[in-house]
Amino acid sequence: MRRIFTIYLNAWQLVIKRRLLWFFLFIVNLLIAILLSIPFNGLLKSTVGDTTAFLNSNFHFDFVMIGDFLNNYGLGLRPVFQQSLVFMVVYYIIQVFFSGGILDTIIPLKDSEQNSFWKSCNRWFFDMFRISIYALLAQAVLLGLFLFFFIVLLGGISPFDIENEGNMIIIFKIVFPIYLFFVAMILCLRDYIKMKHIHGDRKWLFKTIPQTSAWLVRNLHLIMPLFLLHIISFLVCNYLYQWFKYLWTGEHGWMIFCLFLTIQLFVFIRIGIRLAHLTSVRLVNEFMGEKLRMT
Amino acid sequence: MDFCYHDGILPLNKKSISLYLGMHIKTGICLIILLGFIRAFSQNMPAPGRADYDIQVSLDPALKQLLGSERISYTNPSDDTLHFIKMHLYYNAFKNTSSTFLSGTMPLSELVGMEKDDNCPFSFTEITAIKDKEGRDLMQNISYHDTEADNPMDETVLIVELISPVFPKETLVLDLDWESRIPGIMPRTGSNKDFYFFAQWFPKMGVYEPAGLRYRQETGAWNCHPYYANGEFYADFGHYDVTISVPSDYLVGASGTLKQKKQHGLYTNWNFELENVIDFAWTCSPHFIEQKKQAGNVEITLLSYPDHEHCAEKYFGSVTSALEYLEDHVGLYPYKTITVVDVPIHGLFTGGMEYPTLITSMSFCFLPVGVKTTQTLTVHEFIHQYFMQMIATNETEEPWMDEGITSYYEGRIVDHYFGGKRGLIDVMGVKISNTDYNRWEYFAGGNPSIADNTYRSWEFENGGYKLISYNKTAVWLNTLDNIVGRQVMDEIMKTYFERWKFNHPAAPDFEKVVNEVVHKYHGDKFGENLNWFFDQVLRGSGVCDYSVVSIKNRKKRMDAGYLEGFEICVPVQSDEASDSMENEGIVIIEREGEIIMPQEIVIILSDGTKLKELWDGRSRTFRFEYSGPEEIVQAVIDPEYKIQLDKNFINNSKSAHTHKLTLRYYFTRFVQWMQNSMETAAWLS
């Protein structure tokens, strides 16, 4: 347990040391979001810019106004959402691109050769992209498998076949945590495969995958609690964010500015948590005394 | 006797004066009598028919069969002699896919899983014997007839030619034996596993509407529609004495009060009785748990499966609240019982329905506390005890009269008892009231102009049944409520209920009550009557939308040009040189929709002053002009959102300048959503 906390804290220390990278990732996220929001802002200005309808609710959730907006101006949202989906895919690919650089350079190498971040990103992008796609496919297969098991255990999903939904709830409560465990395993496996591929045998990806899988299973007692620690960090952060967010609802400009800052702080910390997770992947590797080249 | 008018003037003498007065007094008395007669005649509504049922039925779970015998005592309400009668055999709607019902709902027939198990999910009712009170056999006199849908395959309407006609006000007695095959779970009725629900399960009299009732003018006629996919039921009031024989391990719930329960061998006879109702439904299962609670004089019985035992308070609370509210705002609930059936998930097609003193609802174990769908559905079905049961409108021809009025009260009751603006949903910051949700559903659930409220249920063949009958009606009733005031609205509904309970009103009867009560309280405030309102919302399919189009302010300028003669040309004044000049403000409002509603308009000036205007809403545009030291900063139509029919409240208000706070807030939130979504996607990278 102490090892896990040590790795966790060291990971955060390294992330803080590499705060330029952290900040850079945050700026990329913010700029893309702002770019996406410009057409939305234009739509708002042309439709609700001069109405006072939204002020009555003090910017709390107002179903009537939201419903009227969607009913009467919702067509204008379609291109905005379509564009958002495209940019989300672009952001995903950008993060895949960065993952190689992060895993390669987050801990400075001991020998004299210093790989620059951008060089590493470029060098490993294709392999990282392949690994990410394989992981996505694995998640899809996992989801399909668990849905299948769930339906088999339930005896069918037609409501006419279900004896009572109490059974359904019980089966769900058993199956869902197991499913989550395997989701977490695939997420970890993906990152460790990336790390092993960069710092191990660089020739054959399909050799790295089974070797890393076996290694992961052997060291599950270390890897999963560490991953869980990062998830808990996210949940705590999210809980605090929700609490702070509701302090800033009101019809004053400074409240909106405070809300914006709160949001940015939360996103910044989220990115930090992701960086810390990737850093801890490297640190686990170092901790286990593995050589940089796999034998 | 004559009067001698000289040049039109009555001679002034004792004789002529007394004759004059006498004649006018006699005329006056005649007029009073005539008026009284007219009034009495207009208040003297024709009574509906009466159909009493004495039914014995036995359930055979192994054969999925009901064997029944019944005695029907039907009283002819009209001045017409009836040579034949019409009856409903609703179970024949599920006889085959060529029936009017199933051919109108093809995806439904696929949904019920025809290929599953060995049990054929179809059903029928077969009359095995029918005799009149003299014991004469009428089996050769029966036929199936469907003129409306022109479907020779449909057998849901039975015609019986009588040997002896039924004279006006006479009672016909018929003895029937019948056999029904129980369907798999079909809409509203059927069986699945060992859950049974029986609705419209027995041969049931159609309604003979006498002259003067609903739309019958000179003579009466049968009103006995086939069973349509859209649309429900219509029946006369009567007494029900029903004995149900089921295996002894089954628990039975039914309309009415349990008079007696007697075991004989492996079967138990349950005897229920109910007076002055239009229908009788029942259910049974060996898994039911029965819970009871008293709400004043009414005993609430809840039947649910063991995994839903803990949901009891949702049902008891809903029924108690609805009962209390309706007794306060509409009228007294005259029955001693109400049974609520929480149908199991494999019987879900039977959930969400209403029968006299028995309703079906549904719950799911996993629903969060803030989601009040169970309570909403239960309240809705209970309200039907008033609108559909006690006021027995023709649900097939005028579905809005029960569904729409019920949806209106559903919103009032749910929002009143479960938290106003969060009455329906209150989860994780999302708050939705029932009334607002209903309005949203009307505008978002399809084309709000697809039909109007005069459509009969089977005429909604391309959609719009729920939208128009439920949602639209509730929205215009809410609008009416807001326009006339809650107190007057309650008076309208109380008058309507008291006048038409245990009868069959039609739309003109409801409109008449509204006009009468509104005139009594508001005089001519809304015109001679509210027909202009009903013409648009009931008989029209238009949509209402008013918007503030523009606000313009400018400095009042002095006239320019050659004002006096041709020598001095007064230049145009610029705004900068006009500090001391007045402002001119113009607000343009448009009627974008077809519906015309009187509007309240509030104009807000830069010093905070509010100016109120009333506009009749008729013309396509309305111009408000202001002249004074201030500027117009805001214009608002219908500031209290009284006209719920308005499809867009956002364009009801406008500021002279862009409201930056709104833009900044939603821009910030959108950035947040994008950032968090992208970061979530990044975890998959």
Side-chain angles (χ1 to χ4, degrees):
Chain A
M1 204 63 193
R2 214 169 65 173
R3 283 187 297 181
I4 295 165
F5 276 108
T6 308
I7 294 170
Y8 176 80
L9 290 170
N10 286 346
W12 272 105
Q13 279 172 358
L14 277 166
V15 167
I16 291 165
K17 259 190 191 168
R18 298 295 301 270
R19 54 186 172 273
L20 270 179
L21 174 64
W22 184 3
F23 194 69
F24 167 72
L25 293 175
F26 166 72
I27 292 295
V28 168
N29 178 287
L30 177 62
L31 283 177
I32 293 177
I34 288 174
L35 196 68
L36 280 175
S37 304
I38 291 170
F40 179 71
N41 196 52
L43 174 69
L44 281 188
K45 200 170 176 180
S46 64
T47 55
V48 304
D50 49 13
T51 185
T52 59
F54 289 90
L55 296 179
N56 295 336
S57 62
N58 217 21
F59 298 124
H60 286 128
F61 182 84
D62 188 335
F63 176 74
V64 174
M65 294 308 158
I66 291 170
D68 279 5
F69 179 82
L70 292 172
N71 277 344
N72 295 286
Y73 311 111
L75 276 177
L77 278 176
R78 216 174 279 174
V80 172
F81 281 124
Q82 282 165 357
Q83 190 182 26
S84 307
L85 280 171
V86 169
F87 269 86
M88 226 170 293
V89 172
V90 168
Y91 186 79
Y92 173 85
I93 294 170
I94 290 173
Q95 295 307 313
V96 171
F97 179 72
F98 288 153
S99 63
I102 292 167
L103 284 167
D104 199 8
T105 65
I106 194 76
I107 299 174
L109 291 176
K110 286 184 184 134
D111 57 20
S112 59
E113 189 188 341
Q114 290 279 333
N115 279 337
S116 79
F117 174 75
W118 293 105
K119 247 182 170 174
S120 300
C121 289
N122 198 42
R123 185 181 175 191
W124 298 113
F125 171 62
F126 183 63
D127 288 341
M128 298 299 104
F129 186 73
R130 283 165 67 203
I131 293 169
S132 297
I133 295 298
Y134 297 151
L136 276 180
L137 287 172
Q139 295 283 13
V141 169
L142 180 74
L143 180 64
L145 271 172
F146 269 86
L147 277 175
F148 174 74
F149 283 132
F150 181 70
I151 291 166
V152 164
L153 287 170
L154 205 56
I157 52 165
S158 164
F160 304 110
D161 297 331
I162 298 172
E163 190 60 46
N164 65 68
E165 93 260 22
N167 281 354
M168 204 162 71
I169 305 296
I170 291 168
I171 292 167
F172 181 80
K173 282 181 180 174
I174 294 168
V175 167
F176 190 62
I178 299 171
Y179 167 70
L180 283 182
F181 174 78
F182 281 98
V183 166
M185 269 201 65
I186 293 176
L187 286 174
C188 292
L189 188 62
R190 175 202 61 197
D191 293 330
Y192 283 96
I193 289 170
K194 283 182 180 177
M195 187 270 303
K196 293 285 187 192
H197 187 68
I198 291 169
H199 296 290
D201 186 342
R202 296 166 193 189
K203 279 190 185 163
W204 186 234
L205 182 60
F206 286 103
K207 194 176 161 191
T208 313
I209 292 172
Q211 282 179 343
T212 311
S213 306
W215 178 86
L216 189 106
V217 170
R218 281 198 308 273
N219 296 289
L220 212 57
H221 60 281
L222 178 65
I223 289 162
M224 286 306 286
L226 186 58
F227 182 73
L228 199 61
L229 203 51
H230 291 300
I231 297 297
I232 290 170
S233 307
F234 165 73
L235 290 172
V236 168
C237 173
N238 188 50
Y239 175 79
L240 290 169
Y241 162 65
Q242 296 296 336
W243 192 81
F244 273 106
K245 194 172 71 169
Y246 285 107
L247 290 177
W248 311 122
T249 44
E251 50 172 277
H252 299 286
W254 66 267
M255 277 191 160
I256 295 172
F257 181 66
C258 288
L259 174 66
F260 179 77
L261 288 179
T262 307
I263 291 165
Q264 298 317 307
L265 183 63
F266 173 66
V267 173
F268 187 68
I269 294 173
R270 271 193 82 173
I271 293 170
I273 292 172
R274 183 161 58 88
L275 261 182
H277 163 68
L278 289 173
T279 310
S280 62
V281 166
R282 268 301 303 275
L283 283 174
V284 165
N285 194 40
E286 299 293 313
F287 183 83
M288 299 302 287
E290 298 275 341
K291 293 182 183 165
L292 287 179
R293 282 185 177 274
M294 282 181 66
T295 54
Chain B
M1 94 180 54
D2 60 350
F3 288 90
C4 187
Y5 284 85
H6 299 282
D7 297 324
I9 299 167
L10 185 68
L12 281 176
N13 55 52
K14 220 177 179 177
K15 184 179 177 186
S16 64
I17 289 169
S18 64
L19 281 173
Y20 171 81
L21 283 173
M23 191 189 92
H24 281 80
I25 286 168
K26 279 185 189 166
T27 307
I29 289 168
C30 289
L31 270 172
I32 289 166
I33 292 168
L34 183 64
L35 276 170
F37 180 76
I38 290 169
R39 186 174 165 80
F41 180 76
S42 67
Q43 297 287 16
N44 190 19
M45 293 156 301
R50 185 174 170 92
D52 296 332
Y53 296 83
D54 191 337
I55 306 175
Q56 289 81 42
V57 66
S58 173
L59 167 68
D60 186 335
L63 294 177
K64 295 279 186 228
Q65 190 181 56
L66 284 178
L67 286 173
S69 60
E70 69 187 53
R71 167 164 282 196
I72 304 173
S73 303
Y74 174 71
T75 304
N76 178 358
S78 70
D79 295 328
D80 309 316
T81 300
L82 306 180
H83 295 275
F84 64 90
I85 57 156
K86 285 191 178 183
M87 300 180 69
H88 292 286
L89 296 178
Y90 284 113
Y91 261 29
N92 284 342
F94 313 119
K95 192 171 179 184
N96 52 57
T97 50
S98 296
S99 70
T100 301
F101 188 96
L102 286 180
S103 60
T105 55
M106 272 313 288
L108 178 68
S109 63
E110 288 163 11
L111 197 68
V112 297
M114 289 178 287
E115 70 282 0
K116 285 190 190 295
D117 302 330
D118 295 324
N119 288 325
C120 174
F122 297 99
S123 69
F124 59 82
T125 294
E126 187 188 0
I127 306 292
T128 53
I130 179 168
K131 290 180 184 164
D132 62 16
K133 71 176 171 193
E134 282 80 21
R136 291 177 291 192
D137 185 15
L138 295 170
M139 278 302 287
Q140 302 306 316
N141 295 21
I142 66 174
S143 62
Y144 299 94
H145 182 62
D146 170 29
T147 51
E148 288 159 18
D150 198 23
N151 182 359
M153 295 297 292
D154 189 86
E155 295 179 353
T156 56
V157 176
L158 181 78
I159 293 189
V160 183
E161 299 281 344
L162 301 171
I163 296 171
S164 302
V166 189
F167 292 107
K169 317 300 181 201
E170 256 194 14
T171 298
L172 165 74
V173 176
L174 289 175
D175 289 311
L176 288 88
D177 292 334
W178 45 271
E179 177 190 319
S180 283
R181 182 176 159 81
I182 302 165
I185 288 289
M186 291 286 182
R188 307 184 184 101
T189 194
S191 71
N192 193 2
K193 300 182 191 289
D194 44 17
F195 167 74
Y196 293 84
F197 195 90
F198 297 101
Q200 316 304 333
W201 53 280
F202 57 97
K204 199 170 167 188
M205 284 299 297
V207 175
Y208 191 85
E209 291 177 339
L213 184 68
R214 298 186 74 246
Y215 300 100
R216 304 294 173 200
Q217 306 277 343
E218 303 296 325
T219 56
W222 282 102
N223 191 312
C224 188
H225 294 290
Y227 192 5
Y228 292 104
N230 280 330
E232 297 186 5
F233 315 106
Y234 183 41
D236 279 325
F237 293 86
H239 176 92
Y240 283 77
D241 190 321
V242 181
T243 303
I244 302 165
S245 182
V246 296
S248 295
D249 58 333
Y250 279 64
L251 195 149
V252 175
S255 300
T257 310
L258 179 65
K259 261 172 54 182
Q260 198 184 46
K261 184 175 152 188
K262 203 170 174 185
Q263 188 167 352
H264 59 99
L266 296 172
Y267 273 67
T268 300
N269 285 353
W270 300 65
N271 178 225
F272 293 87
E273 195 179 19
L274 190 53
E275 174 61 44
N276 220 7
V277 291
I278 59 171
D279 195 6
F280 187 96
W282 61 284
T283 181
C284 65
S285 169
H287 303 295
F288 274 142
I289 289 173
E290 186 180 78
Q291 298 174 78
K292 288 185 188 287
K293 187 173 180 175
Q294 200 69 25
N297 292 333
V298 180
E299 182 184 69
I300 309 171
T301 302
L302 172 66
L303 297 176
S304 57
Y305 271 39
D307 60 320
H308 277 190
E309 198 178 350
H310 64 285
C311 299
E313 201 36 55
K314 283 187 192 178
Y315 293 107
F316 288 135
S318 306
V319 173
T320 306
S321 303
L323 178 63
E324 180 186 77
Y325 194 92
L326 290 166
E327 288 204 322
D328 281 344
H329 294 275
V330 181
L332 285 177
Y333 179 76
Y335 308 105
K336 294 283 175 259
T337 62
I338 179 76
T339 299
V340 183
V341 184
D342 177 6
V343 305
I345 193 166
H346 51 261
L348 74 95
F349 273 5
T350 62
M353 260 307 283
E354 71 279 0
Y355 309 94
T357 74
L358 185 145
I359 60 176
T360 62
S361 187
M362 291 195 70
S363 185
F364 295 106
C365 297
F366 48 81
L367 282 178
V369 166
V371 176
K372 300 281 194 302
T373 47
T374 301
Q375 291 88 328
T376 299
L377 182 58
T378 307
V379 163
H380 182 99
E381 302 311 334
F382 183 79
I383 296 166
H384 273 305
Q385 299 302 308
Y386 285 70
F387 304 103
M388 159 266 154
Q389 163 35 40
M390 286 187 269
I391 297 184
T393 51
N394 188 327
E395 297 184 279
T396 316
E397 291 183 357
E398 293 176 312
W400 72 268
M401 290 194 78
D402 71 306
E403 297 298 354
I405 295 178
T406 296
S407 299
Y408 161 70
Y409 273 106
E410 173 198 307
R412 280 179 62 168
I413 295 171
V414 168
D415 293 343
H416 179 78
Y417 285 98
F418 299 118
K421 281 290 179 188
R422 50 191 174 88
L424 179 65
I425 305 276
D426 185 5
V427 176
M428 290 169 61
V430 175
K431 297 181 203 308
I432 305 174
S433 78
N434 189 291
T435 307
D436 291 340
Y437 182 78
N438 185 74
R439 176 179 169 272
W440 174 81
E441 222 180 1
Y442 169 47
F443 291 121
N447 176 8
S449 293
I450 194 168
D452 59 55
N453 275 129
T454 62
Y455 274 43
R456 296 167 297 180
S457 59
W458 66 87
E459 290 172 332
F460 289 100
E461 53 191 352
N462 296 317
Y465 174 72
K466 184 176 188 293
L467 202 72
I468 303 299
S469 306
Y470 289 68
N471 303 123
K472 180 181 177 180
T473 308
V475 171
W476 66 250
L477 281 169
N478 272 310
T479 303
L480 182 65
D481 186 338
N482 291 332
I483 289 173
V484 304
R486 176 55 58 88
Q487 197 185 348
V488 174
M489 190 68 188
D490 279 354
E491 195 57 38
I492 290 169
M493 298 312 292
K494 280 178 182 169
T495 307
Y496 173 60
F497 178 74
E498 288 306 319
R499 190 175 296 178
W500 286 101
K501 63 185 179 187
F502 307 115
N503 210 328
H504 303 306
D509 303 311
F510 178 76
E511 290 178 64
K512 191 178 164 195
V513 170
V514 173
N515 284 334
E516 201 178 287
V517 175
V518 168
H519 188 79
K520 180 179 164 189
Y521 284 89
H522 287 296
D524 287 338
K525 182 180 174 186
F526 302 107
E528 205 180 300
N529 51 47
L530 281 172
N531 290 351
W532 59 269
F533 179 81
F534 290 114
D535 285 341
Q536 297 182 100
V537 303
L538 195 55
R539 290 177 276 277
S541 57
V543 168
C544 180
D545 187 13
Y546 286 84
S547 69
V548 181
V549 173
S550 66
I551 300 177
K552 286 179 188 156
N553 290 291
R554 65 175 188 193
K555 295 290 182 186
K556 192 170 183 180
R557 293 172 191 177
M558 284 171 46
D559 288 341
Y562 293 101
L563 300 173
E564 288 172 19
F566 303 101
E567 289 173 0
I568 301 170
C569 178
V570 178
V572 174
Q573 259 190 323
S574 66
D575 281 357
E576 290 76 25
S578 57
D579 268 346
S580 59
M581 290 195 300
E582 281 195 332
N583 288 308
E584 281 181 338
I586 299 170
V587 176
I588 306 290
I589 292 168
E590 270 185 23
R591 174 171 66 86
E592 299 190 20
E594 298 82 17
I595 286 183
I596 295 168
M597 286 285 159
Q599 296 290 341
E600 292 172 17
I601 300 164
V602 173
I603 308 292
I604 301 173
L605 304 178
S606 44
D607 66 349
T609 309
K610 289 183 183 177
L611 306 172
K612 287 186 185 172
E613 277 281 315
L614 290 174
W615 174 36
D616 64 10
R618 290 190 170 276
S619 57
R620 277 292 175 185
T621 59
F622 174 76
R623 182 186 179 101
F624 174 85
E625 290 182 2
Y626 163 79
S627 190
E630 308 300 327
E631 279 190 350
I632 297 175
V633 294
Q634 232 181 79
V636 184
I637 307 168
D638 187 24
E640 292 169 45
Y641 303 122
K642 288 182 180 177
I643 313 295
Q644 292 277 305
L645 280 165
D646 194 316
K647 73 187 255 293
N648 186 358
F649 284 147
I650 293 174
N651 64 9
N652 282 18
S653 62
K654 200 172 187 72
S655 288
H657 308 286
T658 301
H659 215 276
K660 291 195 176 128
L661 272 180
T662 305
L663 291 180
R664 281 179 196 154
Y665 178 77
Y666 286 103
F667 177 79
T668 303
R669 294 306 299 267
F670 192 80
V671 167
Q672 172 217 335
W673 297 326
M674 287 297 107
Q675 285 185 286
N676 280 308
S677 301
M678 288 192 297
E679 194 46 36
T680 304
W683 271 90
L684 296 172
S685 66

